[in-house]
Amino acid sequence: MAQPLVCIGSYTPATGGRGSGITVCAQDPATGVLTPLGEPTATPSPSFLAAHPDGRRLYAVNELEPQGTLSAFAIADDGSLTPLGSVPSGGSAPCHVAVDPTGAYALTANYGDGRVSVHPLAPNGAAGRHTTVVELHGDGPDRDRQAGPHAHQVAFDGDTVLVCDLGSDRVWRYRLRPDGTLVAEAPVPTPPGFGPRHLVHTAPDRAWVVGELVPAVRALPDGPATGLATAGPTRNHPSAIVASPDGRHLYVANRGPDTVTVLALDGGTPRVVAEIDTGVTWPRDAALIGDHLYIAGERSDTVTALRRDPTTGLLAPPAEALTTGTPTCIAAVPRTY
């Protein structure tokens, strides 16, 4: 199987960024270096990217206010992107997108107003206008950050949709029906002020969620929290959480300390085993691709690669993999063709 493509999204001048849109790269599996395949594809401030299961389509949410958009692209054999159009995301400032396992729908999480939208995908990969929009509700004790709902991530566990809501301290649960409607199920609360940002699965029905307002990782649906180590007195605002393929380790990017915390899952509670410098400023996103953990430095205009030891789970010191303006997200696109 060919090496996956690595796509980097960047904030553009549309929202004060220095990037150009989406950069598609080839990965050197030995060194981790990313080589751009042509010029970036222009699209306004793609804050998150998601690949279609067939590896031939890419979706981006454009983090615009008061109305965000969802953009679709076809991926050619040489890695070039062809725009397939954009549609309203159904809310404000979308910050996450996910494609359901069947490839029939793309779902967006709109941070600004706490809405989640469902978009049918056409046979050619184009995203249609949203057919379903759900509005989250609730608030939290942090009046600056939790005055209302803020959908931060939408993730799939089979046909169950999990939505991290930083504003209401809940992980909302829905069942995605074949017709694209969402059926509400009982939400999972997190402690007041936790501010759930992202979650990741290590097994079916076994998820781990990281808090942005309280720097800790906890198991869903319940379990004690593990605080994240921080280098020095700088306040920690965790961002991405990543699981190793074998489910034995978690990796959390820490904005502020600019580190990544390595946690072992060898017991009922995650155990911190290392905290490592990322080599970037304000690590916005992380992705484990092959033998390297990639970190997007939003404020340093760099993406670094940290080689992972598959036995110990530990990371080598960072090496620069790519220079690009205001990187926000990293997505691997499998090439099964």
Side-chain angles (χ1 to χ4, degrees):
M1 183 184 298
Q3 290 294 122
L5 299 173
V6 180
C7 298
I8 310 296
S10 296
Y11 279 139
T12 66
T15 56
R18 297 172 295 280
S20 300
I22 302 171
T23 303
V24 181
C25 301
Q27 177 198 36
D28 184 327
T31 65
V33 169
L34 301 176
T35 302
L37 299 174
E39 295 298 316
T41 298
T43 189
S45 292
S47 59
F48 207 84
L49 307 173
H52 192 277
D54 68 8
R56 292 186 176 275
R57 312 285 184 266
L58 184 71
Y59 300 91
V61 280
N62 307 103
E63 194 173 309
L64 305 174
E65 297 178 297
Q67 176 62 66
T69 52
L70 170 65
S71 298
F73 304 87
I75 307 172
D77 290 350
D78 63 0
S80 60
L81 302 180
T82 299
L84 298 173
S86 298
V87 294
S89 68
S92 174
C95 62
H96 200 270
V97 58
V99 180
D100 89 278
T102 71
Y105 298 98
L107 276 66
T108 71
N110 294 273
Y111 181 87
D113 49 15
R115 295 182 177 185
V116 176
S117 63
V118 180
H119 300 258
L121 302 180
N124 72 342
R129 290 184 62 89
H130 50 79
T131 56
T132 299
V133 176
V134 296
E135 297 187 19
L136 309 182
H137 59 85
D139 55 17
D142 187 329
R143 303 317 299 169
D144 291 332
R145 298 292 310 278
Q146 296 183 306
H150 294 299
H152 217 307
Q153 183 201 32
V154 55
F156 284 92
D157 183 10
D159 62 354
T160 297
V161 178
L162 302 174
V163 181
C164 289
D165 180 0
L166 183 146
S168 72
D169 288 322
R170 293 184 180 93
V171 175
W172 300 91
R173 300 176 71 249
Y174 299 90
R175 185 75 62 180
L176 177 64
R177 288 177 168 169
D179 64 0
T181 57
L182 293 173
V183 180
E185 298 186 344
V188 180
T190 62
F194 186 73
R197 179 183 173 94
H198 277 197
L199 60 81
V200 67
H201 284 86
T202 51
D205 299 320
R206 188 57 166 171
W208 309 88
V209 61
V210 64
E212 180 173 335
L213 304 183
V214 174
V217 171
R218 59 187 302 113
L220 290 180
D222 53 40
T226 297
L228 299 173
T230 57
T234 305
R235 182 176 176 181
N236 184 11
H237 305 267
S239 57
I241 181 170
V242 177
S244 63
D246 58 13
R248 296 173 51 233
H249 294 92
L250 298 175
Y251 303 89
V252 178
N254 303 303
R255 294 171 298 176
D258 296 338
T259 60
V260 58
T261 302
V262 183
L263 303 102
L265 298 177
D266 50 10
T269 303
R271 176 173 58 88
V272 174
V273 295
E275 184 185 10
I276 300 168
D277 178 56
T278 60
V280 306
T281 305
W282 208 250
R284 168 66 180 257
D285 195 26
L288 185 58
I289 305 172
D291 294 330
H292 291 86
L293 182 72
Y294 289 92
I295 307 290
E298 180 182 343
R299 298 181 181 175
S300 57
D301 297 340
T302 51
V303 176
T304 54
L306 293 77
R307 178 176 284 276
R308 174 180 177 270
D309 185 316
T311 302
T312 66
L314 296 178
L315 302 170
E320 186 170 308
L322 180 72
T323 299
T324 188
T326 327
T328 58
C329 53
I330 306 166
V333 179
R335 289 202 279 183
T336 57
Y337 46 90

